[in-house]
Amino acid sequence: MRLSRPRIDPVSDEDATDEQREILAASGRSPLNVQRTIAQYPELARSRQAFTNHVMRETSLPPREREILILRTGWNCQSEYEFGQHSRFGRSVGLTDDEIRRITLGPDADGWDEFDATLIRAADELHNDAFISDGTWNQLAERYSTRQLMDVVFAVGQYHIVSMALNSFGVQFEPTTTDRFPS
């Protein structure tokens, strides 16, 4: 974690306004510190939720492939909170602990199939140059539709924004979170 304490405190259940309670209840599960922090700004939280729902629930990408992109983005942005949360999500959609560790090593690490390496390369290119090279784009386009190609860019972009917020706001792990960056 870049910060040992929050710069913006998460909204507590006791101090939440009615509007913040409504925002926190929208996920249908116990809210995480990221949601509690963003609930400090209800208008932003509502606007952000629509895009997050698309990237996480309505995307045209297969869940495992979406999580590869998100995990690599969290690693590239050095957002340990993001990486920890999505390690859990990644496991739930079929990523192994070895694959999650290998995501930190990049597209040329031993063990990736060609398409998984291409996904990681796309995340790296977007992070480093805000652009997917023709070679990587063409490899993605061999399997992906136009919507899926668009969803690659928007998934990586969404999680750059989230990683920047988590890092800058100092969002801390929940006490039950055990996933961290691999050592």
Side-chain angles (χ1 to χ4, degrees):
M1 298 290 287
R2 292 185 179 201
L3 297 171
S4 61
R5 44 180 246 158
R7 288 178 171 165
I8 299 174
D9 289 322
V11 173
S12 68
D13 291 335
E14 301 77 36
D15 295 332
T17 65
D18 289 341
E19 184 177 29
Q20 289 168 327
R21 280 188 193 84
E22 181 184 317
I23 289 165
L24 295 174
S27 71
R29 60 184 166 91
S30 182
L32 299 172
N33 284 340
V34 60
Q35 287 119 357
R36 290 181 177 282
T37 301
I38 295 172
Q40 290 284 16
Y41 190 170
E43 299 83 0
L44 175 65
R46 280 197 172 83
S47 296
R48 177 188 166 274
Q49 192 57 46
F51 191 45
T52 299
N53 281 339
H54 175 80
V55 171
M56 289 300 296
R57 293 177 188 86
E58 299 165 11
T59 184
S60 62
L61 299 174
R64 181 183 174 280
E65 294 169 12
R66 175 200 68 220
E67 290 305 317
I68 288 172
L69 292 165
I70 294 170
L71 282 163
R72 185 60 181 179
T73 301
W75 175 258
N76 284 337
C77 293
Q78 289 297 283
S79 178
E80 193 168 17
Y81 183 96
E82 189 62 42
F83 194 91
Q85 290 298 336
H86 280 273
S87 292
R88 196 170 42 106
F89 294 146
R91 273 189 222 92
S92 76
V93 297
L95 287 172
T96 66
D97 287 336
D98 183 59
E99 288 172 320
I100 292 167
R101 181 192 57 76
R102 256 189 292 131
I103 286 169
T104 69
L105 302 177
D108 298 322
D110 289 337
W112 289 123
D113 72 26
E114 186 177 335
F115 195 75
D116 288 348
T118 300
L119 287 169
I120 295 168
R121 192 167 289 107
D124 287 357
E125 290 175 1
L126 287 165
H127 178 77
N128 295 325
D129 195 32
F131 179 77
I132 297 176
S133 70
D134 286 342
T136 302
W137 183 268
N138 291 336
Q139 287 179 305
L140 291 170
E142 288 176 14
R143 182 181 300 187
Y144 277 175
S145 68
T146 298
R147 286 182 179 195
Q148 288 174 306
L149 291 165
M150 293 173 75
D151 275 335
V152 166
V153 174
F154 282 103
V156 171
Q158 157 73 357
Y159 281 91
H160 264 91
I161 294 169
V162 172
S163 293
M164 286 184 240
L166 293 166
N167 288 344
S168 296
F169 301 162
V171 176
Q172 302 296 298
F173 287 112
E174 286 74 17
T176 57
T177 301
T178 57
D179 285 303
R180 303 285 198 271
F181 282 149
S183 18

